[in-house]
Amino acid sequence: GPLASRPDDVLVFGAIYGGLSSGYRSTQAAGGNLTASSENVLEVTWRAALTRYFAVQPVAQWIRHPGGGADAERATVFGVRLQLVL
């Protein structure tokens, strides 16, 4: 774990690059949709094991050109995952 006092927790920093093919971009442009050359994401998440059977995982994502749209410059997404082990 990221802290000695929380050995079952997990801290993650992630980066994603999703390149859009020239064929896809050409098809979208023909329909009047301008696309960026890629979608890029930075992510931070912490999975906190609260008990042996239950964990909470908040996540934050910063997305550049979400969905590949040239007109969609940036998006910020926050979420929470709950995990119950039976």
Side-chain angles (χ1 to χ4, degrees):
L3 302 172
S5 63
R6 304 213 37 98
D8 295 327
D9 287 8
V10 178
L11 174 63
V12 177
F13 295 96
I16 302 164
Y17 171 84
L20 302 174
S21 71
S22 58
Y24 173 79
R25 294 179 68 209
S26 295
T27 302
Q28 292 298 311
N33 300 315
L34 298 178
T35 59
S37 61
S38 66
E39 176 184 83
N40 306 291
V41 181
L42 294 176
E43 177 176 298
V44 177
T45 186
W46 183 300
R47 182 185 177 278
L50 301 180
T51 70
R52 188 173 156 190
Y53 303 103
F54 183 67
V56 176
Q57 184 176 351
V59 61
Q61 295 181 336
W62 296 273
I63 306 167
R64 183 168 180 252
H65 298 299
D71 58 344
E73 187 62 28
R74 290 186 177 84
T76 303
V77 177
F78 297 101
V80 176
R81 174 184 294 163
L82 304 175
Q83 182 180 28
L84 179 62
V85 178
L86 302 175

